[in-house]
Every structure is written in structure tokens, then in C-alpha cells.
């Protein structure tokens, strides 16, 4: 197969453009890193290009993201005061759950809107094929003098702007609005890394990779918040609602599956692999600007995926072994256990929530309860 673009031709077997086996996945990433990451004499760092990239920041883009963050924060306050808290009072949700109810309602609404827009842009609009053909994600890119000035497609631009505004809001919310958890520092690191990834890929015009990252992330958060909402709804008004129990259980199963599929399978296959292999296929003999730095951040994001999947597995093990009988946030489990021991309680309090962004909700093993 011959690939020809802009007078540059290279021949590879057809299998190079197909999904890799597990062995090929690591081998080809190694080939790419060997070619570009450890070959500074062939691909020296272009400091002039980096300086031009930094200078390409536009005040209107930064100001727009900050303004959107303020609007997201204000919208959250309005939804909490005018909707979430009145509904919680009307439903007589348990006090412990009532404190966390507005957070889950807001995140369910926000993540749903952001993901549906990502779904439209990446798949439904029909304008792009990089989800189905991610290995071609860097095909045709030429880092010429005008590269940094090339405009983004408007739908991609607004996808980025909304996500940047939301994650700037999320930094503020984690510090001042959300329940503080054992991994809240890690959440702040996650938000900061996401903001940096978004801004960097925006400046470098790596927007196809960025769009895939956004599309593959938000669905799991929607399912998680749906699960937590049903956790809060199952014990209300001094009654137990079996329907919400089942919805929470089903939500957990779907959440765990979506996390494994989207973040532990599709993210490496659709993002990590093509972000390396596409460079190898289409940029040998050229200078793939900032390639290693960008992919290092993507690997850091994958490490966070694995870190939070640990909480999912931990919760499953605790339920399977009978260590934990109630739905709880695994990041708060040790603290809650210490609190119960100090107060002489034997049963877990109902209403502790499932974790945010990766600490899963478990299937509750329920004993007889009215």
C-alpha cells in the first residue's frame, strides 16, 4: 500500500492500518518511540516553533473559557437552590444523602449535555471519520509556517470551549462545592491535567485526538451519577424503594462495563495507539512537533484511569467477601469505619454515595429491612 501526500510517499503492509493485536500494540508504540523520542539528532526540538505556539494563545479564547466557567458555576447554584434542594425536601431524602444530592444532580445534567454534544460532533454529524479510522489521525498534517494559524472547525471549537469552561468550574467546585473525599487531591490533578491537555491540543491543532478523549470520557460519568442518584432515592420518607435499589444495581453494572470498555479498551486503542502509530506512518522524515510531550500526558491520563479502576475492583471485592454490605464511597470507607467504631455503631449508614469519576457504586447486599 502506497501512501502519497504532498509529494511524500511511503509503502507499508495493509495490516499496518488495521487494529493491532496486544503484541502489536506494544511493539508499534515501541517502534514509534524509538524513532521519535530517542532520536534527538534526527528530530531536534524546535524551540522557535514552541515559542510560536505559546504566542498563538488568544485572549478571547482564554477569556471565553473563564466566562463559561463562571456561567457553569452560576448555573449549578441556580439548579441546586431552585431544583435539587426543593426536590430533595419534597422526596424526604435522608440527611446524609441530601448533602450530596445536588452535586450528583448537577453532574448528571452537565455530563449528559457535554457528552451528547461530543456524540453529535464525533459520530452523528457525519463530518469526521477519526473514530472509525483513528490511525489516520495525523495524516496530511504539515507543520509549515502557517500551521498554527489554521482555524479549527467551529463545532470542534465549541466542543473545546464548553469542556474547558466546565473543567475550570470543576476545579473551583472540587475545592469549594463538592464533598471532600480521600482522592480529592487526585481529582484536582485530573482536572488540571485535562485542562492542560485540552489547551495544548487546541494550540497544536491536535483536535481530533482531543475530541476522541472527550467523547470516550463523559459517558461513564453520566452513568455514575445516575447510579448515585438512585442510591440516594432508595431510602426516603422512612421507606425503602426497591425500584431505585434495582436501578442503582443495574447502573453499577453498566458503569463498571463502560469504564472498562471506554477507558481501558477504547482509550488505548482509539487514542494512545494512533497517537503514536499515526506519527510513525505519516511523519518519518518529518518533524512531528511536540509528539512525545503530548503523548506523555495521554499516558498520565491512562494511569489515572487504572488508578480509579482500582476503586471499582476494591468495591466489588468488599461486596463479594461480605466486608461491605451497604453502598459506600470506597475512598471514604476507612474514615467511615473509624467513625462508626468510635460511636459504637455496627451497621453501615445508608446513603453513603458511590465514588466520583471512577470509584464505583457496588451492588448492595441487603438484609431484611422494612
Amino acid at each position: 500500500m502506497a501512501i502519497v501526500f504532498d509529494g511524500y510517499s511511503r509503502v507499508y503492509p495493509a495490516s499496518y492500518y488495521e487494529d493491532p493485536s496486544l503484541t502489536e500494540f506494544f511493539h508499534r508504540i515501541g517502534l514509534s518511540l524509538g524513532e521519535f523520542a530517542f532520536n534527538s539528532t534526527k528530530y531536534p526540538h524546535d524551540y522557535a516553533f514552541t515559542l510560536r505556539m505559546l504566542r498563538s494563545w488568544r485572549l478571547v479564547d482564554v477569556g471565553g473559557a473563564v466566562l463559561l466557567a463562571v456561567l457553569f458555576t452560576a448555573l449549578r447554584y441556580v439548579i441546586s437552590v431552585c431544583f435539587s434542594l426543593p426536590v430533595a425536601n419534597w422526596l424526604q431524602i435522608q440527611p446524609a444523602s441530601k448533602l450530596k444530592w445536588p452535586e450528583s444532580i448537577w453532574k448528571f445534567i452537565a455530563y449528559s449535555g457535554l457528552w451528547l454534544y461530543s456524540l453529535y460532533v464525533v459520530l452523528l454529524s457525519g463530518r469526521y471519520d477519526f473514530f472509525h479510522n483513528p490511525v489516520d489521525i495525523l495524516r496530511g498534517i504539515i507543520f509549515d509556517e502557517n500551521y498554527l494559524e489554521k482555524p479549527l472547525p467551529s463545532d470542534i471549537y465549541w466542543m473545546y470551549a464548553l469542556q474547558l469552561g466546565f473543567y475550570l468550574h470543576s476545579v473551583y467546585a472540587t475545592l469549594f462545592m463538592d464533598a471532600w473525599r480521600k482522592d480529592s487531591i487526585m481529582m484536582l490533578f485530573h482536572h488540571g491535567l485535562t485542562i492542560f491537555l485540552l489547551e495544548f491540543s487546541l494550540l497544536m491543532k491536535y483536535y481530533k485526538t482531543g475530541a476522541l478523549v472527550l467523547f470516550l470520557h463523559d459517558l461513564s460519568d453520566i452513568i455514575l451519577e445516575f447510579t448515585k442518584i438512585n442510591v440516594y432515592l432508595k431510602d426516603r420518607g422512612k421507606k425503602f424503594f426497591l425500584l431505585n435499589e434495582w436501578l442503582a444495581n443495574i447502573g453499577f453494572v453498566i458503569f463498571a462495563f463502560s469504564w472498562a470498555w471506554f477507558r481501558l479498551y477504547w482509550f488505548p486503542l482509539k487514542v494512545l495507539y494512533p497517537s503514536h502509530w499515526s506519527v510513525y506512518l505519516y511523519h518519518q522524515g518529518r518533524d512531528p512537533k511536540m509528539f512525545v510531550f503530548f503523548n506523555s500526558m495521554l499516558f498520565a491520563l491512562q494511569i489515572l484511569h487504572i488508578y480509579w479502576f482500582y476503586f471499582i475492583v476494591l468495591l466489588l471485592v468488599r461486596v463479594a467477601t461480605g466486608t461491605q454490605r451497604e453502598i459506600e464511597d470506597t475512598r471514604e470507607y476507612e474514615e467511615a469505619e473509624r467513625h462508626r467504631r468510635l460511636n459504637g455503631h455496627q451497621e453501615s449508614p445508608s446513603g453513603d454515595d458511590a465514588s466520583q469519576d471512577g470509584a464505583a457504586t457496588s451492588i448492595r447486599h441487603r438484609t431484611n429491612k422494612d
Side-chain angles (χ1 to χ4, degrees):
M1 176 180 292
I3 303 299
V4 181
F5 56 95
D6 297 321
Y8 183 75
S9 176
R10 190 172 292 274
V11 179
Y12 296 107
S15 61
Y16 276 37
Y17 303 89
E18 300 171 353
D19 288 345
S21 66
L22 184 62
T23 302
E24 289 170 339
F25 176 89
F26 290 104
H27 175 65
R28 291 174 181 175
I29 286 180
L31 283 178
S32 180
L33 289 175
E35 171 70 20
F36 296 101
F38 310 111
N39 202 339
S40 58
T41 56
K42 188 175 181 181
Y43 305 103
H45 183 73
D46 190 340
Y47 291 98
F49 182 90
T50 302
L51 184 60
R52 293 207 321 271
M53 180 199 69
L54 294 175
R55 288 175 174 174
S56 69
W57 280 28
R58 299 193 310 171
L59 184 59
V60 64
D61 296 333
V62 177
V66 173
L67 178 60
L68 284 170
V70 173
L71 292 176
F72 274 123
T73 304
L75 182 60
R76 174 170 175 173
Y77 275 116
V78 170
I79 291 175
S80 297
V81 172
C82 298
F83 176 75
S84 300
L85 291 176
V87 169
N89 292 328
W90 178 61
L91 293 173
Q92 298 180 331
I93 293 175
Q94 297 293 325
S97 300
K98 183 179 175 181
L99 294 174
K100 301 168 186 176
W101 167 268
E103 177 184 339
S104 288
I105 292 293
W106 160 250
K107 290 179 179 178
F108 177 78
I109 294 172
Y111 282 126
S112 295
L114 292 171
W115 186 76
L116 287 173
Y117 185 62
S118 299
L119 174 66
Y120 168 75
V121 171
V122 174
L123 290 180
L124 302 183
S125 69
R127 298 188 186 101
Y128 311 103
D129 68 344
F130 48 77
F131 178 81
H132 300 292
N133 299 292
V135 76
D136 288 340
I137 208 163
L138 296 180
R139 181 177 181 176
I141 288 182
I142 306 297
F143 295 100
D144 56 19
E145 291 296 322
N146 299 318
Y147 174 76
L148 293 174
E149 285 71 41
K150 294 177 181 178
L152 268 67
S154 59
D155 51 358
I156 295 283
Y157 177 84
W158 281 107
M159 185 178 174
Y160 265 82
L162 289 169
Q163 292 278 357
L164 278 169
F166 178 75
Y167 278 101
L168 286 172
H169 151 77
S170 296
V171 171
Y172 172 84
T174 300
L175 290 170
F176 302 110
M177 301 177 74
D178 297 345
W180 189 260
R181 298 179 175 91
K182 197 166 56 178
D183 71 339
S184 290
I185 297 297
M186 189 64 70
M187 285 300 302
L188 288 172
F189 175 74
H190 169 270
H191 297 335
L193 177 63
T194 303
I195 292 168
F196 192 81
L197 261 172
L198 287 171
E199 186 61 34
F200 181 81
S201 63
L202 182 67
L203 293 175
M204 283 296 300
K205 305 299 186 292
Y206 289 157
Y207 59 85
K208 294 180 181 179
T209 301
L212 283 175
V213 172
L214 295 173
F215 171 70
L216 293 175
H217 276 71
D218 289 340
L219 181 60
S220 296
D221 294 307
I222 297 170
I223 301 169
L224 176 60
E225 300 307 328
F226 170 83
T227 302
K228 292 163 68 174
I229 288 170
N230 281 281
V231 170
Y232 305 147
L233 288 175
K234 70 174 183 277
D235 288 306
R236 49 192 166 92
K238 299 182 180 179
K239 295 180 181 179
F240 170 70
F241 291 83
L242 184 61
L243 174 62
N244 296 112
E245 172 82 347
W246 279 103
L247 288 174
N249 295 345
I250 294 169
F252 164 72
V253 173
I254 298 174
F255 165 74
F257 176 79
S258 70
W259 188 279
W261 188 265
F262 277 73
R263 303 196 186 194
L264 301 184
Y265 175 67
W266 263 355
F267 184 83
L269 185 64
K270 302 286 188 180
V271 175
L272 287 180
Y273 173 73
S275 68
H276 288 80
W277 192 235
S278 184
V279 176
Y280 185 86
L281 292 178
Y282 297 116
H283 284 269
Q284 286 192 63
R286 302 182 173 201
D287 187 1
K289 307 293 186 182
M290 311 295 285
F291 151 72
V292 176
F293 179 71
F294 182 59
N295 286 347
S296 297
M297 291 189 290
L298 293 176
F299 267 115
L301 192 58
Q302 182 65 1
I303 290 172
L304 289 178
H305 296 160
I306 297 169
Y307 168 78
W308 275 308
F309 192 66
Y310 158 78
F311 287 106
I312 299 174
V313 175
L314 180 64
L315 206 50
L316 284 170
V317 170
R318 283 174 169 162
V319 172
T321 59
T323 305
Q324 186 171 336
R325 295 166 54 194
E326 297 280 343
I327 294 177
E328 284 186 323
D329 190 330
T330 56
R331 299 165 302 166
E332 298 170 351
Y333 184 77
E334 289 82 2
E335 181 180 351
E337 282 296 306
R338 183 174 65 253
H339 176 76
R340 286 194 287 276
R341 285 196 300 269
L342 291 174
N343 288 277
H345 296 302
Q346 298 300 319
E347 295 294 327
S348 300
S350 61
D352 280 341
D353 70 332
S355 73
Q356 161 63 27
D357 203 9
T361 308
S362 72
I363 301 175
R364 181 183 182 187
H365 284 200
R366 189 175 186 85
T367 56
N368 294 331
K369 180 175 181 180
D370 295 333

